[in-house]
Amino acid sequence: MIECKTEQHIKICGKEIATVQNAARTIQQLIDENIPELTETIAQPTLVSFQISLENCDPLSWLSQQASTTRLYWSDREASYEVAAAGETDRLFAEGEPHLTELILELQRRLASSSEDIRYYGGLKFDSSSPADHDWKPFGALLFVLPRYEMTKSQHGNTFTINLVIQHGNEVEQQLLAEIQTLQTLCSAAPVSSQPLPIASIRTDSPNQKEWQEIIDKSIQAFDSGCMEKIVLARKTTMVFSEELDPIRLLKQLKDVVNRAFHFYFQFDGTPGFIGATPERLYKRIGETIFSEAVAGTRPRGNSPEADLAFAEDLLNSDKDVREHQFVCKSILDVMDELCTDIQSPAQVSLLKLARVQHLYNKYSATLKKGYGDADLLERIHPTPAVGGVPKKEAIRQIAALEPFDRGWYAGPIGWLSRNESEFAVGIRSALMMKNQLHIYTGAGIVKGSEAESEWEEIENKLGSFLAIQQVNGTENA
Ligand SMILES: C=C(O[C@H]1C=CC=C(C(=O)O)[C@@H]1O)C(=O)O
Ligand SMILES: [Mg+2]
């Protein structure tokens, strides 16, 4: 772990637009030009970012060529921002039940002197009070990383960035020369293979269908006793493949089949990779302006426009799904009432149409009151009743007691923070990838009137995107 106690940030940008192939040379020129000044200026650990504009780039292809044990990918739902990153220049990691406010303040302290385009990427465990199982342990309760190399593609252009912490001016030359050697092998643009994924030979569901029925029955009893009104219960579906999976290939295929989603991949220091395509924004903050949304209630997409409309109408008129969604709307509005002013909420519900499913959908915006920030937003909004339940604390307790696995980062906040902005998605429709195994996590909101069998089916539909990119040979229940 590199301790990054930088007191200042120097950003050095290249004027000329490079191609991916000559990016290393362009950055080398940039470094050479700036060595004398850097040597003089740096007397303490300093974050130095070298940035060049790229003519064109494909972040996913670039990422597939990176051998680094830390690899990250994030693209937003509007496909307006895409970043691939490799290596780590700094990380903030916490296990157990950490003090979220202190950790977020620490991140903001590290970002305080940086430019707006410096971002830490990472996420939080769904429930830090529940013990982490072996596979999720390396992700901790919170992990954020400032990448060493980043390739970004956005409406504002394409950029390649190197973030370095320079300890002392007289070490600059030596450190940068070592960096350039690595850079020579960095900039490659071979496209990601679109070959089919290996064959999945075994599928296991935890809980199995019988256990699912029992868990739902227990939840309904909790509703009847009055201690809970909603709980979101998840399943873990494990697929075992004939050979090792390539995460970037899987991500590429997931991108091809799932539209309107945040696509992500987090692999830290050789640990299992967390991969997914979530439709749900937890919140986005631009300065004091906050955007959040309620996504809940589900129907499949139809095979024809008429069938699709029939599903949509059925969803809009379903008392059970409307209640599922209302709990989420109310919870977000309650948080906004507490932390914000100028709350804008839609006059009526709309639909979020994804590749395989459609959801009830409400968008909100507001202005954050003075004195509140990301730690307050994360602590209060997460988990919304789209992934937790009502009341929040009781639902989290019941989830830990009823689900036969650790959720880890599934349904947790995942995203990025910069000096003045942040964006977090809800880490659903996601999977943990280890060599030839894929653990897919998917849940469904349970309220009074929910039936175990149709909730099982709802999860099968949500799983559809992951299943669509695989060829499954056999099914087994755990
Ligand atoms: C918890 C998940 O979905 C949530 C988001 C949208 C609709 C949901 C539902 O209708 O049950 C869930 O609340 C998941 O996909 O793992
Ligand atoms: Mg539902």
Side-chain angles (χ1 to χ4, degrees), residues 143-397:
L143 178 49
F144 282 92
V145 156
L146 172 66
R148 182 161 286 247
Y149 309 107
E150 286 177 68
M151 186 178 277
T152 54
K153 194 176 175 120
S154 78
Q155 296 137 325
H156 308 296
N158 312 316
T159 313
F160 188 77
T161 305
I162 309 181
N163 296 310
L164 295 175
V165 174
I166 309 276
Q167 300 294 330
H168 200 275
N170 57 22
E171 295 161 16
V172 163
E173 197 157 354
Q174 207 186 338
Q175 276 193 44
L176 295 183
L177 281 174
E179 206 59 39
I180 288 161
Q181 301 218 322
T182 328
L183 261 180
Q184 310 295 347
T185 57
L186 265 180
C187 300
S188 161
V192 180
S193 158
S194 51
Q195 278 199 339
L197 294 168
I199 294 181
S201 53
I202 300 173
R203 170 180 167 171
T204 333
D205 286 291
S206 169
N208 65 24
Q209 207 159 356
K210 186 169 157 280
E211 292 158 342
W212 178 251
Q213 175 77 56
E214 289 161 9
I215 294 171
I216 303 282
D217 289 346
K218 284 188 189 154
S219 307
I220 307 275
Q221 279 164 22
F223 300 153
D224 290 341
S225 73
C227 67
M228 209 167 53
E229 292 187 274
K230 176 174 179 181
I231 184 168
V232 181
L233 291 170
R235 285 166 42 197
K236 176 177 171 182
T237 302
T238 299
M239 319 285 283
V240 181
F241 293 83
S242 50
E243 57 192 84
E244 204 164 308
L245 293 167
D246 173 356
I248 310 302
R249 232 163 86 191
L250 200 147
L251 187 59
K252 164 97 171 46
Q253 298 193 10
L254 207 51
K255 279 185 73 115
D256 290 343
V257 295
V258 190
N259 59 339
R260 288 188 80 181
F262 295 90
H263 293 93
F264 61 87
Y265 178 60
F266 293 98
Q267 186 189 21
F268 303 105
D269 211 10
T271 58
F274 184 48
I275 194 164
T278 172
E280 190 167 352
R281 170 180 281 151
L282 185 66
Y283 75 87
K284 180 174 178 138
R285 180 176 72 80
I286 303 174
E288 309 303 302
T289 309
I290 310 299
F291 303 90
S292 184
E293 55 197 35
V295 182
T298 308
R299 284 293 178 281
R301 295 297 307 271
N303 290 331
S304 63
E306 297 76 27
D308 199 49
L309 191 65
F311 277 131
E313 278 175 1
D314 190 37
L315 176 59
L316 288 163
N317 293 312
S318 153
D319 171 60
K320 188 216 76 148
D321 290 271
V322 169
R323 272 185 292 121
E324 260 185 81
H325 184 241
Q326 278 300 316
F327 281 120
V328 188
C329 301
K330 178 168 183 321
S331 158
I332 291 172
L333 280 172
D334 283 351
V335 177
M336 287 192 157
D337 272 338
E338 193 189 341
L339 304 183
C340 305
T341 56
D342 309 325
I343 301 161
Q344 310 289 323
S345 55
Q348 64 184 67
V349 64
S350 53
L351 291 168
L352 182 64
K353 291 199 181 255
L354 307 170
R356 272 155 217 281
V357 287
Q358 43 191 321
H359 300 297
L360 298 174
Y361 182 56
N362 274 23
K363 272 161 77 165
Y364 303 97
S365 67
T367 307
L368 203 57
K369 287 183 198 161
K370 254 202 157 43
Y372 290 120
D374 289 300
D376 307 283
L377 289 164
L378 286 168
E379 217 148 38
R380 309 280 223 289
I381 303 183
H382 169 75
T384 75
V387 289
V390 179
K392 181 159 141 172
K393 272 204 175 129
E394 179 59 14
I396 294 175
R397 201 184 65 78

